[in-house]
Amino acid sequence: MGARAAVLAGLGSYLPPGRMTNEELSRRLDTSDEWIHKRTGIRERRWVDAGVSTSDLAVEAGQRALKSAANGAPDAVGMVILATTTPDYPCPATAPEVATRLGLGTPAAVDMAAGCAGFVYALATGAASIAAGHTEQVLVIGAETLSTIINPADRTTAVIFADGAGAVVLRSGTADEPGAILTVDLGSDGTGKDLATIPAGGSRQRSSRQVAAPDDRFLHVRGKEIFAQAVRRMGQSATAVLGTAGWSVDQLDHLVGHQANLRILHALAQQLGLDKRRVVSNIEQVGNTSAASIPLALADAAAQNRFLPRDRLLLTAFGAGLCWASAALTWPQITPA
Ligand code: UT7
């Protein structure tokens, strides 16, 4: 029998209904479907309606993941980790409300702020808590309403970022079971904090007692620089995880990278020496959903029966912070909801 480990037991996802196509954006901004698709791989994305917040999407995805896990998982979720860059409020965290609305009682519940790497950071944290014996079951959610932090007049961010949520249930099991989280690699580099930032709204701006400029309340991204860092850091992190898992690149069945830009995913595959056909991507339909992107990509690929039980998956993500995170797992026998 293998060592105690966290095992993926359920998967769910949710996209808000509001479609924003490249054509529609081209009517509002100085951009075009051709530019957006060629430079990012995106054709359309979802944006929430007014009044819909991150917790609303998180609850939908969480419900689906719990439903998907219903046959195999123990009864009680001991911990909820919500990875998000767009919490409902600066205070309190959004996870406790999500846990309550899901009817989970009084579990540990906390937000994970690690930008686009948030879901994999949360997965690693939940898996470690299970492996240490602190809890039997963890609900890990990545949920974002990035449409609420982009400047609608800024064509460099408005064409990329989008809304959505995905979630997984982790349960206690053993490392030799299909679905086991085998190893992770987490890292950060604060020298790159200005590459993706919302300058206003935090203590740095508030303690100055100056009223924030309206534009400073939006997300600012230095696209070219973060692109280069993303390829480099995800490449290093993915290589580290492959090494710890003892897998060669040829043994890897699927690379599920953060859906920031299709060109980033292809550059990453090239750097690793991985066939592009093993790269999972749904960015064309969903855009860059930050912390929701990996579980959304997992759910899409699983719904298309792309994964077989015991397939070897590598998750890797990179974003604001700068933060990056990777995980190696085998695919379980589950039906996503
Ligand atoms: O999720 C993690 C954080 N985010 C990322 O990882 C994003 C990573 N970066 C990217 O995906 C890309 O850098 C972008 C998609 C943001 C930009 O693509 P790019 O190929 O790096 O374009 P660029 O910034 O070098 O701009 C090229 C040209 C510029 O015009 P000039 O100076 O050549 O005349 C831009 O002004 O494209 C122009 N441009 C646009 N044109 C049409 C920039 N955005 C647009 C646009 N439509 N939406």
Side-chain angles (χ1 to χ4, degrees):
M1 204 166 115
R4 182 180 165 99
V7 172
L8 209 157
L11 171 64
S13 65
Y14 176 75
L15 289 172
R19 272 199 165 78
M20 178 55 67
T21 62
N22 289 352
E23 282 77 16
E24 175 61 27
L25 279 174
S26 307
R27 283 193 279 275
R28 302 176 181 202
L29 293 164
D30 181 15
T31 189
S32 64
D33 173 51
E34 193 200 353
W35 191 96
I36 301 169
H37 194 250
K38 194 165 156 216
R39 304 306 294 171
T40 70
I42 302 168
R43 284 270 188 227
E44 63 176 43
R45 74 287 290 141
R46 305 293 183 92
W47 285 359
V48 292
D49 292 335
V52 176
S53 73
T54 293
S55 66
D56 300 326
L57 309 192
V59 167
E60 292 282 351
Q63 264 165 356
R64 291 169 192 210
L66 291 165
K67 188 172 161 228
S68 154
N71 294 329
D75 311 334
V77 170
M79 181 184 274
V80 175
I81 313 178
L82 173 64
T84 188
T85 316
T86 47
D88 284 12
Y89 310 101
C91 177
T94 306
E97 180 187 333
V98 170
T100 297
R101 285 169 58 189
L102 287 169
L104 297 177
T106 56
V110 68
D111 287 3
M112 176 69 74
C116 302
F119 178 80
V120 184
Y121 255 83
L123 187 82
T125 307
S129 184
I130 287 175
H134 297 154
T135 183
E136 291 299 312
Q137 195 174 318
V138 178
L139 177 63
V140 180
I141 308 174
E144 299 282 13
T145 48
L146 296 163
S147 63
T148 64
I149 58 166
I150 54 177
N151 179 347
D154 176 6
R155 67 178 181 172
T156 63
T157 51
V159 301
I160 303 174
F161 291 107
D163 305 339
V168 298
V169 174
L170 297 176
R171 64 164 172 85
S172 63
T174 57
D176 52 5
E177 285 184 67
I181 310 296
L182 297 173
T183 182
V184 300
D185 174 73
L186 309 177
S188 74
D189 176 7
T191 64
K193 72 181 173 62
D194 295 329
L195 297 193
T197 181
I198 302 174
S203 59
R204 179 73 67 200
Q205 173 261 319
R206 283 167 178 262
S207 72
S208 73
R209 306 270 185 266
Q210 281 171 3
V211 177
D215 190 46
D216 283 351
R217 296 178 184 278
F218 293 122
L219 179 66
H220 295 250
V221 173
R222 283 168 32 195
K224 263 202 167 355
E225 289 162 82
I226 208 159
F227 188 115
Q229 286 276 350
V231 177
R232 183 163 79 92
R233 294 299 194 181
M234 283 196 285
Q236 289 168 343
S237 184
T239 302
V241 155
L242 284 174
T244 325
W247 297 349
S248 70
V249 171
D250 290 343
Q251 289 174 316
L252 186 63
D253 294 302
H254 311 280
L255 176 73
V256 186
H258 167 48
Q259 309 286 306
N261 184 320
L262 191 59
R263 286 158 54 224
I264 292 179
L265 291 173
H266 287 167
L268 178 62
Q270 191 178 19
Q271 186 176 308
L272 293 172
L274 184 77
D275 187 331
K276 272 199 297 196
R277 282 171 298 187
R278 285 192 246 162
V279 174
V280 170
S281 178
N282 66 345
I283 191 170
E284 188 166 33
Q285 294 82 37
V286 301
N288 180 341
T289 57
S290 193
S293 103
I294 297 247
L296 278 171
L298 286 174
D300 270 4
Q304 292 165 30
N305 296 317
R306 227 179 126 172
F307 304 147
L308 297 173
R310 293 200 185 273
D311 271 3
R312 293 171 172 187
L313 271 74
L314 196 156
L315 317 182
T316 187
F318 170 90
L322 305 171
C323 290
W324 55 89
S326 303
L329 68 148
T330 53
W331 193 247
Q333 189 100 46
I334 55 167
T335 311

